[in-house]
Amino acid sequence: SILFRHRFPKAGRTISSNPEFRTGLNDSEGTLQAVNTFADGLVNVLDQENKQETEHYSLSTNLAYTEPLGNRRYLEANYNYRQNINKVDRQVYDLEEGDTRLYNELLSNSYTSDYQYHRAGMNFRLNRREYSLTVGSSLQHTDLTGKLLGFEDDIRHSYQNVLPTLRFNYEFTGNRRIDFNYETMVQEPTIRQLQPVVDNSNSLNIYEGNPELRPAYMHQWRLNFSTFDPGTLINFFSFVNASYTNNAITNAQSYTDRLIRITQPVNVSHNTMISGFASLGFPVKKLNSRFNIGANVRQQESVNLINSVANDIRSQNLNGNLRYEYRLKELFDFNLRANYTVQRTKYQFGDDQQFFNQTYSAETNLYLPKLFNFNTNFDYMLFDNPGFDFSQRIPMLNMAISKQFLKNKSGELKLSALNV
């Protein structure tokens, strides 16, 4: 990796570049022995050896140039190039009686993938005392080539994507801030997702790559707000995060007559996600205490494929928590916590599910003379699923005693008992 930066005599005019090269080699050998007995009486015996050699090469570089426009305004030009080359050679042999090794063509494969992109863009940046703004866009051209042993034609795909960007932050008076970010990105498939190699290491759950997989294109929005009053020690933080993904990569599952599951990554039209979080903390000085209240919500819509049938799934997750802390000088502290989680999942085909989980916790720390500490932590967990008439209660008590030593209490010896 090489980093180059240069500042020109004109204030604000800069240029930088950072080329980088990575390489990795991984050789593995394994054996697979499995005996599966199915309900129809079939007994399937696997006795195999496998050997896989993987080579990875990555070359990337970026070039960035900044030109000042006056009055704390800047124009930024950038160019990025990246190339990932992966070579996989997997050989699988079936072991027969008499130490005979038979080459298994269905599970063996040799594959090379070459993923590279060029991305060029321009941004405008404006800096002020209270706020800053960056707006821009880039154009990315992507080429994906795959060479498969036994196939005459190479797999070739090319994509062009426009990637806009917007960033804005504002500093209010005091310790108060708001940030907004919008960005787009291309998520290329991994080598495991692309290589058409059957992984039968779990013979009842088989995984197979998909060389026709396309990169996913994601839009992401994020809004943050935070404030802190050093006089009252009241703090508040919140964020909203949303994403929309075209050509989203998901796992398609199919089942054979004997219920062997086959998983393969595929592209679906889109996935969406939105989540929000808020947290408020404030002290009660008369009680030497502090309260923290938080909540977060998440909703996700996705598509799942089972036996080539698309199933729309909508999941909602709501979580709330409450925390109380009490501290008596350097002698004793005590805190209580409560956490509630509700999760609902609705399927286009199939039964909907709902989970309701609760956790109540209490923790104490007693600071004894000669740097001895005694700690207890009690959790009471409740799990409920009305759809399956499932209910479970789990108490958990942990205890520990510790001794601090060495300069500045940098050493600690602790004896813990879990699930007393």
PDB file of all heavy atoms in Angstrom, residues 295-326:
ATOM      1  N   ALA A 295     -35.691   3.109  23.139  1.00  0.00           N
ATOM      2  CA  ALA A 295     -36.616   2.315  22.321  1.00  0.00           C
ATOM      3  C   ALA A 295     -36.090   2.284  20.901  1.00  0.00           C
ATOM      4  O   ALA A 295     -35.485   3.253  20.418  1.00  0.00           O
ATOM      5  CB  ALA A 295     -38.025   2.906  22.349  1.00  0.00           C
ATOM      6  N   ASN A 296     -36.295   1.169  20.231  1.00  0.00           N
ATOM      7  CA  ASN A 296     -35.955   1.094  18.812  1.00  0.00           C
ATOM      8  C   ASN A 296     -36.991   0.238  18.094  1.00  0.00           C
ATOM      9  O   ASN A 296     -37.594  -0.668  18.677  1.00  0.00           O
ATOM     10  CB  ASN A 296     -34.527   0.574  18.583  1.00  0.00           C
ATOM     11  CG  ASN A 296     -34.341  -0.832  19.090  1.00  0.00           C
ATOM     12  OD1 ASN A 296     -34.838  -1.781  18.506  1.00  0.00           O
ATOM     13  ND2 ASN A 296     -33.621  -0.986  20.195  1.00  0.00           N
ATOM     14  N   VAL A 297     -37.186   0.553  16.836  1.00  0.00           N
ATOM     15  CA  VAL A 297     -38.154  -0.151  16.008  1.00  0.00           C
ATOM     16  C   VAL A 297     -37.501  -0.443  14.662  1.00  0.00           C
ATOM     17  O   VAL A 297     -36.683   0.350  14.167  1.00  0.00           O
ATOM     18  CB  VAL A 297     -39.444   0.691  15.831  1.00  0.00           C
ATOM     19  CG1 VAL A 297     -39.149   2.012  15.154  1.00  0.00           C
ATOM     20  CG2 VAL A 297     -40.494  -0.091  15.053  1.00  0.00           C
ATOM     21  N   ARG A 298     -37.842  -1.576  14.096  1.00  0.00           N
ATOM     22  CA  ARG A 298     -37.253  -1.979  12.815  1.00  0.00           C
ATOM     23  C   ARG A 298     -38.313  -2.715  12.007  1.00  0.00           C
ATOM     24  O   ARG A 298     -39.004  -3.592  12.539  1.00  0.00           O
ATOM     25  CB  ARG A 298     -36.039  -2.886  13.040  1.00  0.00           C
ATOM     26  CG  ARG A 298     -35.385  -3.414  11.765  1.00  0.00           C
ATOM     27  CD  ARG A 298     -34.315  -4.419  12.114  1.00  0.00           C
ATOM     28  NE  ARG A 298     -33.700  -5.000  10.942  1.00  0.00           N
ATOM     29  CZ  ARG A 298     -32.560  -4.582  10.405  1.00  0.00           C
ATOM     30  NH1 ARG A 298     -31.909  -3.565  10.947  1.00  0.00           N
ATOM     31  NH2 ARG A 298     -32.048  -5.171   9.342  1.00  0.00           N
ATOM     32  N   GLN A 299     -38.432  -2.352  10.756  1.00  0.00           N
ATOM     33  CA  GLN A 299     -39.338  -3.056   9.836  1.00  0.00           C
ATOM     34  C   GLN A 299     -38.577  -3.397   8.558  1.00  0.00           C
ATOM     35  O   GLN A 299     -37.882  -2.546   7.995  1.00  0.00           O
ATOM     36  CB  GLN A 299     -40.569  -2.217   9.494  1.00  0.00           C
ATOM     37  CG  GLN A 299     -41.495  -2.909   8.496  1.00  0.00           C
ATOM     38  CD  GLN A 299     -42.855  -2.255   8.395  1.00  0.00           C
ATOM     39  OE1 GLN A 299     -43.507  -2.012   9.400  1.00  0.00           O
ATOM     40  NE2 GLN A 299     -43.295  -1.973   7.168  1.00  0.00           N
ATOM     41  N   GLN A 300     -38.726  -4.623   8.124  1.00  0.00           N
ATOM     42  CA  GLN A 300     -37.994  -5.096   6.947  1.00  0.00           C
ATOM     43  C   GLN A 300     -38.935  -5.888   6.062  1.00  0.00           C
ATOM     44  O   GLN A 300     -39.728  -6.714   6.539  1.00  0.00           O
ATOM     45  CB  GLN A 300     -36.808  -5.967   7.366  1.00  0.00           C
ATOM     46  CG  GLN A 300     -35.909  -6.380   6.220  1.00  0.00           C
ATOM     47  CD  GLN A 300     -34.595  -6.959   6.713  1.00  0.00           C
ATOM     48  OE1 GLN A 300     -34.327  -6.995   7.902  1.00  0.00           O
ATOM     49  NE2 GLN A 300     -33.782  -7.415   5.783  1.00  0.00           N
ATOM     50  N   GLU A 301     -38.872  -5.612   4.766  1.00  0.00           N
ATOM     51  CA  GLU A 301     -39.647  -6.350   3.779  1.00  0.00           C
ATOM     52  C   GLU A 301     -38.674  -7.018   2.814  1.00  0.00           C
ATOM     53  O   GLU A 301     -37.797  -6.360   2.253  1.00  0.00           O
ATOM     54  CB  GLU A 301     -40.597  -5.420   3.025  1.00  0.00           C
ATOM     55  CG  GLU A 301     -41.664  -4.792   3.910  1.00  0.00           C
ATOM     56  CD  GLU A 301     -42.624  -3.922   3.131  1.00  0.00           C
ATOM     57  OE1 GLU A 301     -42.510  -3.884   1.888  1.00  0.00           O
ATOM     58  OE2 GLU A 301     -43.491  -3.277   3.757  1.00  0.00           O
ATOM     59  N   SER A 302     -38.825  -8.300   2.630  1.00  0.00           N
ATOM     60  CA  SER A 302     -37.901  -9.060   1.798  1.00  0.00           C
ATOM     61  C   SER A 302     -38.665 -10.132   1.029  1.00  0.00           C
ATOM     62  O   SER A 302     -39.850 -10.367   1.271  1.00  0.00           O
ATOM     63  CB  SER A 302     -36.794  -9.697   2.656  1.00  0.00           C
ATOM     64  OG  SER A 302     -37.362 -10.542   3.636  1.00  0.00           O
ATOM     65  N   VAL A 303     -37.954 -10.775   0.125  1.00  0.00           N
ATOM     66  CA  VAL A 303     -38.517 -11.849  -0.694  1.00  0.00           C
ATOM     67  C   VAL A 303     -37.693 -13.100  -0.462  1.00  0.00           C
ATOM     68  O   VAL A 303     -36.455 -13.063  -0.528  1.00  0.00           O
ATOM     69  CB  VAL A 303     -38.523 -11.473  -2.191  1.00  0.00           C
ATOM     70  CG1 VAL A 303     -39.112 -12.609  -3.018  1.00  0.00           C
ATOM     71  CG2 VAL A 303     -39.307 -10.195  -2.419  1.00  0.00           C
ATOM     72  N   ASN A 304     -38.366 -14.188  -0.182  1.00  0.00           N
ATOM     73  CA  ASN A 304     -37.711 -15.468   0.014  1.00  0.00           C
ATOM     74  C   ASN A 304     -38.253 -16.450  -1.013  1.00  0.00           C
ATOM     75  O   ASN A 304     -39.438 -16.419  -1.345  1.00  0.00           O
ATOM     76  CB  ASN A 304     -37.969 -15.972   1.434  1.00  0.00           C
ATOM     77  CG  ASN A 304     -37.125 -17.192   1.759  1.00  0.00           C
ATOM     78  OD1 ASN A 304     -36.127 -17.458   1.106  1.00  0.00           O
ATOM     79  ND2 ASN A 304     -37.531 -17.927   2.773  1.00  0.00           N
ATOM     80  N   LEU A 305     -37.379 -17.296  -1.547  1.00  0.00           N
ATOM     81  CA  LEU A 305     -37.797 -18.278  -2.554  1.00  0.00           C
ATOM     82  C   LEU A 305     -37.672 -19.677  -1.981  1.00  0.00           C
ATOM     83  O   LEU A 305     -36.605 -20.073  -1.498  1.00  0.00           O
ATOM     84  CB  LEU A 305     -36.951 -18.169  -3.824  1.00  0.00           C
ATOM     85  CG  LEU A 305     -37.347 -17.055  -4.809  1.00  0.00           C
ATOM     86  CD1 LEU A 305     -36.783 -15.728  -4.339  1.00  0.00           C
ATOM     87  CD2 LEU A 305     -36.869 -17.359  -6.205  1.00  0.00           C
ATOM     88  N   ILE A 306     -38.770 -20.423  -2.027  1.00  0.00           N
ATOM     89  CA  ILE A 306     -38.786 -21.816  -1.601  1.00  0.00           C
ATOM     90  C   ILE A 306     -39.382 -22.635  -2.728  1.00  0.00           C
ATOM     91  O   ILE A 306     -40.519 -22.388  -3.147  1.00  0.00           O
ATOM     92  CB  ILE A 306     -39.591 -22.004  -0.311  1.00  0.00           C
ATOM     93  CG1 ILE A 306     -38.960 -21.199   0.834  1.00  0.00           C
ATOM     94  CG2 ILE A 306     -39.679 -23.479   0.076  1.00  0.00           C
ATOM     95  CD1 ILE A 306     -39.683 -21.317   2.156  1.00  0.00           C
ATOM     96  N   ASN A 307     -38.591 -23.565  -3.248  1.00  0.00           N
ATOM     97  CA  ASN A 307     -38.999 -24.387  -4.403  1.00  0.00           C
ATOM     98  C   ASN A 307     -39.485 -23.510  -5.550  1.00  0.00           C
ATOM     99  O   ASN A 307     -40.529 -23.750  -6.156  1.00  0.00           O
ATOM    100  CB  ASN A 307     -40.075 -25.385  -3.996  1.00  0.00           C
ATOM    101  CG  ASN A 307     -39.526 -26.503  -3.121  1.00  0.00           C
ATOM    102  OD1 ASN A 307     -38.338 -26.827  -3.180  1.00  0.00           O
ATOM    103  ND2 ASN A 307     -40.383 -27.064  -2.282  1.00  0.00           N
ATOM    104  N   SER A 308     -38.724 -22.439  -5.824  1.00  0.00           N
ATOM    105  CA  SER A 308     -38.947 -21.501  -6.932  1.00  0.00           C
ATOM    106  C   SER A 308     -40.201 -20.651  -6.771  1.00  0.00           C
ATOM    107  O   SER A 308     -40.601 -19.962  -7.709  1.00  0.00           O
ATOM    108  CB  SER A 308     -39.006 -22.252  -8.277  1.00  0.00           C
ATOM    109  OG  SER A 308     -37.802 -22.953  -8.511  1.00  0.00           O
ATOM    110  N   VAL A 309     -40.822 -20.672  -5.598  1.00  0.00           N
ATOM    111  CA  VAL A 309     -41.999 -19.842  -5.336  1.00  0.00           C
ATOM    112  C   VAL A 309     -41.582 -18.669  -4.464  1.00  0.00           C
ATOM    113  O   VAL A 309     -41.007 -18.854  -3.388  1.00  0.00           O
ATOM    114  CB  VAL A 309     -43.114 -20.656  -4.639  1.00  0.00           C
ATOM    115  CG1 VAL A 309     -44.306 -19.755  -4.309  1.00  0.00           C
ATOM    116  CG2 VAL A 309     -43.542 -21.813  -5.527  1.00  0.00           C
ATOM    117  N   ALA A 310     -41.853 -17.433  -4.960  1.00  0.00           N
ATOM    118  CA  ALA A 310     -41.484 -16.227  -4.215  1.00  0.00           C
ATOM    119  C   ALA A 310     -42.453 -16.020  -3.064  1.00  0.00           C
ATOM    120  O   ALA A 310     -43.675 -16.109  -3.230  1.00  0.00           O
ATOM    121  CB  ALA A 310     -41.479 -15.015  -5.136  1.00  0.00           C
ATOM    122  N   ASN A 311     -41.921 -15.743  -1.902  1.00  0.00           N
ATOM    123  CA  ASN A 311     -42.709 -15.539  -0.691  1.00  0.00           C
ATOM    124  C   ASN A 311     -42.336 -14.189  -0.093  1.00  0.00           C
ATOM    125  O   ASN A 311     -41.206 -13.984   0.346  1.00  0.00           O
ATOM    126  CB  ASN A 311     -42.427 -16.668   0.304  1.00  0.00           C
ATOM    127  CG  ASN A 311     -43.353 -16.641   1.502  1.00  0.00           C
ATOM    128  OD1 ASN A 311     -44.316 -15.865   1.537  1.00  0.00           O
ATOM    129  ND2 ASN A 311     -43.062 -17.469   2.485  1.00  0.00           N
ATOM    130  N   ASP A 312     -43.277 -13.243  -0.105  1.00  0.00           N
ATOM    131  CA  ASP A 312     -43.031 -11.932   0.491  1.00  0.00           C
ATOM    132  C   ASP A 312     -43.101 -12.039   2.009  1.00  0.00           C
ATOM    133  O   ASP A 312     -44.058 -12.595   2.570  1.00  0.00           O
ATOM    134  CB  ASP A 312     -44.064 -10.912   0.003  1.00  0.00           C
ATOM    135  CG  ASP A 312     -43.914 -10.619  -1.488  1.00  0.00           C
ATOM    136  OD1 ASP A 312     -42.785 -10.740  -1.988  1.00  0.00           O
ATOM    137  OD2 ASP A 312     -44.918 -10.284  -2.141  1.00  0.00           O
ATOM    138  N   ILE A 313     -42.084 -11.484   2.660  1.00  0.00           N
ATOM    139  CA  ILE A 313     -41.982 -11.563   4.124  1.00  0.00           C
ATOM    140  C   ILE A 313     -41.871 -10.149   4.685  1.00  0.00           C
ATOM    141  O   ILE A 313     -41.069  -9.341   4.203  1.00  0.00           O
ATOM    142  CB  ILE A 313     -40.762 -12.397   4.558  1.00  0.00           C
ATOM    143  CG1 ILE A 313     -40.847 -13.803   3.971  1.00  0.00           C
ATOM    144  CG2 ILE A 313     -40.661 -12.458   6.073  1.00  0.00           C
ATOM    145  CD1 ILE A 313     -39.619 -14.642   4.245  1.00  0.00           C
ATOM    146  N   ARG A 314     -42.676  -9.862   5.685  1.00  0.00           N
ATOM    147  CA  ARG A 314     -42.605  -8.568   6.375  1.00  0.00           C
ATOM    148  C   ARG A 314     -42.380  -8.840   7.860  1.00  0.00           C
ATOM    149  O   ARG A 314     -43.191  -9.503   8.507  1.00  0.00           O
ATOM    150  CB  ARG A 314     -43.893  -7.775   6.173  1.00  0.00           C
ATOM    151  CG  ARG A 314     -43.920  -6.463   6.963  1.00  0.00           C
ATOM    152  CD  ARG A 314     -45.201  -5.700   6.727  1.00  0.00           C
ATOM    153  NE  ARG A 314     -45.270  -5.227   5.350  1.00  0.00           N
ATOM    154  CZ  ARG A 314     -46.294  -4.493   4.882  1.00  0.00           C
ATOM    155  NH1 ARG A 314     -47.297  -4.174   5.691  1.00  0.00           N
ATOM    156  NH2 ARG A 314     -46.291  -4.099   3.622  1.00  0.00           N
ATOM    157  N   SER A 315     -41.282  -8.312   8.374  1.00  0.00           N
ATOM    158  CA  SER A 315     -40.970  -8.524   9.785  1.00  0.00           C
ATOM    159  C   SER A 315     -40.892  -7.174  10.495  1.00  0.00           C
ATOM    160  O   SER A 315     -40.383  -6.191   9.950  1.00  0.00           O
ATOM    161  CB  SER A 315     -39.644  -9.277   9.947  1.00  0.00           C
ATOM    162  OG  SER A 315     -38.575  -8.541   9.382  1.00  0.00           O
ATOM    163  N   GLN A 316     -41.422  -7.151  11.711  1.00  0.00           N
ATOM    164  CA  GLN A 316     -41.412  -5.957  12.549  1.00  0.00           C
ATOM    165  C   GLN A 316     -40.819  -6.315  13.900  1.00  0.00           C
ATOM    166  O   GLN A 316     -41.154  -7.360  14.471  1.00  0.00           O
ATOM    167  CB  GLN A 316     -42.830  -5.412  12.725  1.00  0.00           C
ATOM    168  CG  GLN A 316     -43.496  -4.979  11.427  1.00  0.00           C
ATOM    169  CD  GLN A 316     -44.954  -4.626  11.620  1.00  0.00           C
ATOM    170  OE1 GLN A 316     -45.631  -5.184  12.476  1.00  0.00           O
ATOM    171  NE2 GLN A 316     -45.452  -3.694  10.817  1.00  0.00           N
ATOM    172  N   ASN A 317     -39.967  -5.441  14.389  1.00  0.00           N
ATOM    173  CA  ASN A 317     -39.315  -5.670  15.664  1.00  0.00           C
ATOM    174  C   ASN A 317     -39.399  -4.392  16.488  1.00  0.00           C
ATOM    175  O   ASN A 317     -38.963  -3.335  16.033  1.00  0.00           O
ATOM    176  CB  ASN A 317     -37.856  -6.098  15.459  1.00  0.00           C
ATOM    177  CG  ASN A 317     -37.204  -6.535  16.761  1.00  0.00           C
ATOM    178  OD1 ASN A 317     -36.971  -5.730  17.641  1.00  0.00           O
ATOM    179  ND2 ASN A 317     -36.894  -7.811  16.867  1.00  0.00           N
ATOM    180  N   LEU A 318     -39.964  -4.489  17.686  1.00  0.00           N
ATOM    181  CA  LEU A 318     -40.099  -3.356  18.590  1.00  0.00           C
ATOM    182  C   LEU A 318     -39.423  -3.697  19.899  1.00  0.00           C
ATOM    183  O   LEU A 318     -39.700  -4.748  20.499  1.00  0.00           O
ATOM    184  CB  LEU A 318     -41.572  -3.017  18.823  1.00  0.00           C
ATOM    185  CG  LEU A 318     -41.865  -1.871  19.807  1.00  0.00           C
ATOM    186  CD1 LEU A 318     -41.294  -0.563  19.275  1.00  0.00           C
ATOM    187  CD2 LEU A 318     -43.368  -1.747  20.037  1.00  0.00           C
ATOM    188  N   ASN A 319     -38.527  -2.815  20.336  1.00  0.00           N
ATOM    189  CA  ASN A 319     -37.760  -3.069  21.554  1.00  0.00           C
ATOM    190  C   ASN A 319     -37.783  -1.831  22.437  1.00  0.00           C
ATOM    191  O   ASN A 319     -37.609  -0.705  21.961  1.00  0.00           O
ATOM    192  CB  ASN A 319     -36.318  -3.456  21.213  1.00  0.00           C
ATOM    193  CG  ASN A 319     -35.455  -3.636  22.458  1.00  0.00           C
ATOM    194  OD1 ASN A 319     -34.844  -2.687  22.926  1.00  0.00           O
ATOM    195  ND2 ASN A 319     -35.408  -4.848  22.969  1.00  0.00           N
ATOM    196  N   GLY A 320     -38.014  -2.028  23.728  1.00  0.00           N
ATOM    197  CA  GLY A 320     -37.970  -0.943  24.694  1.00  0.00           C
ATOM    198  C   GLY A 320     -37.167  -1.358  25.905  1.00  0.00           C
ATOM    199  O   GLY A 320     -37.167  -2.534  26.294  1.00  0.00           O
ATOM    200  N   ASN A 321     -36.429  -0.414  26.494  1.00  0.00           N
ATOM    201  CA  ASN A 321     -35.625  -0.754  27.661  1.00  0.00           C
ATOM    202  C   ASN A 321     -35.625   0.398  28.652  1.00  0.00           C
ATOM    203  O   ASN A 321     -35.730   1.579  28.278  1.00  0.00           O
ATOM    204  CB  ASN A 321     -34.191  -1.129  27.254  1.00  0.00           C
ATOM    205  CG  ASN A 321     -33.495  -0.013  26.507  1.00  0.00           C
ATOM    206  OD1 ASN A 321     -32.966   0.927  27.112  1.00  0.00           O
ATOM    207  ND2 ASN A 321     -33.471  -0.108  25.178  1.00  0.00           N
ATOM    208  N   LEU A 322     -35.485   0.050  29.909  1.00  0.00           N
ATOM    209  CA  LEU A 322     -35.459   1.007  31.014  1.00  0.00           C
ATOM    210  C   LEU A 322     -34.331   0.608  31.953  1.00  0.00           C
ATOM    211  O   LEU A 322     -34.186  -0.578  32.292  1.00  0.00           O
ATOM    212  CB  LEU A 322     -36.802   1.014  31.754  1.00  0.00           C
ATOM    213  CG  LEU A 322     -36.909   1.892  33.006  1.00  0.00           C
ATOM    214  CD1 LEU A 322     -36.775   3.364  32.634  1.00  0.00           C
ATOM    215  CD2 LEU A 322     -38.239   1.641  33.717  1.00  0.00           C
ATOM    216  N   ARG A 323     -33.549   1.597  32.388  1.00  0.00           N
ATOM    217  CA  ARG A 323     -32.413   1.313  33.259  1.00  0.00           C
ATOM    218  C   ARG A 323     -32.374   2.341  34.390  1.00  0.00           C
ATOM    219  O   ARG A 323     -32.536   3.547  34.152  1.00  0.00           O
ATOM    220  CB  ARG A 323     -31.100   1.351  32.457  1.00  0.00           C
ATOM    221  CG  ARG A 323     -29.851   1.033  33.283  1.00  0.00           C
ATOM    222  CD  ARG A 323     -28.597   1.185  32.442  1.00  0.00           C
ATOM    223  NE  ARG A 323     -27.396   0.916  33.199  1.00  0.00           N
ATOM    224  CZ  ARG A 323     -26.752  -0.243  33.217  1.00  0.00           C
ATOM    225  NH1 ARG A 323     -27.218  -1.241  32.477  1.00  0.00           N
ATOM    226  NH2 ARG A 323     -25.663  -0.424  33.935  1.00  0.00           N
ATOM    227  N   TYR A 324     -32.172   1.844  35.607  1.00  0.00           N
ATOM    228  CA  TYR A 324     -32.038   2.696  36.785  1.00  0.00           C
ATOM    229  C   TYR A 324     -30.695   2.406  37.443  1.00  0.00           C
ATOM    230  O   TYR A 324     -30.341   1.233  37.663  1.00  0.00           O
ATOM    231  CB  TYR A 324     -33.166   2.430  37.775  1.00  0.00           C
ATOM    232  CG  TYR A 324     -32.952   3.079  39.130  1.00  0.00           C
ATOM    233  CD1 TYR A 324     -33.134   4.447  39.301  1.00  0.00           C
ATOM    234  CD2 TYR A 324     -32.553   2.314  40.225  1.00  0.00           C
ATOM    235  CE1 TYR A 324     -32.921   5.042  40.544  1.00  0.00           C
ATOM    236  CE2 TYR A 324     -32.347   2.896  41.465  1.00  0.00           C
ATOM    237  CZ  TYR A 324     -32.528   4.259  41.620  1.00  0.00           C
ATOM    238  OH  TYR A 324     -32.305   4.849  42.847  1.00  0.00           O
ATOM    239  N   GLU A 325     -29.922   3.446  37.744  1.00  0.00           N
ATOM    240  CA  GLU A 325     -28.605   3.302  38.352  1.00  0.00           C
ATOM    241  C   GLU A 325     -28.533   4.110  39.643  1.00  0.00           C
ATOM    242  O   GLU A 325     -28.970   5.264  39.687  1.00  0.00           O
ATOM    243  CB  GLU A 325     -27.513   3.771  37.385  1.00  0.00           C
ATOM    244  CG  GLU A 325     -27.489   3.034  36.053  1.00  0.00           C
ATOM    245  CD  GLU A 325     -26.491   3.650  35.078  1.00  0.00           C
ATOM    246  OE1 GLU A 325     -25.917   4.703  35.419  1.00  0.00           O
ATOM    247  OE2 GLU A 325     -26.294   3.076  34.000  1.00  0.00           O
ATOM    248  N   TYR A 326     -27.963   3.500  40.664  1.00  0.00           N
ATOM    249  CA  TYR A 326     -27.759   4.166  41.947  1.00  0.00           C
ATOM    250  C   TYR A 326     -26.324   3.915  42.394  1.00  0.00           C
ATOM    251  O   TYR A 326     -25.819   2.788  42.293  1.00  0.00           O
ATOM    252  CB  TYR A 326     -28.730   3.638  42.998  1.00  0.00           C
ATOM    253  CG  TYR A 326     -28.431   4.142  44.401  1.00  0.00           C
ATOM    254  CD1 TYR A 326     -28.833   5.410  44.794  1.00  0.00           C
ATOM    255  CD2 TYR A 326     -27.733   3.346  45.300  1.00  0.00           C
ATOM    256  CE1 TYR A 326     -28.546   5.883  46.070  1.00  0.00           C
ATOM    257  CE2 TYR A 326     -27.439   3.804  46.578  1.00  0.00           C
ATOM    258  CZ  TYR A 326     -27.854   5.072  46.954  1.00  0.00           C
ATOM    259  OH  TYR A 326     -27.547   5.539  48.212  1.00  0.00           O
TER     260      TYR A 326
END
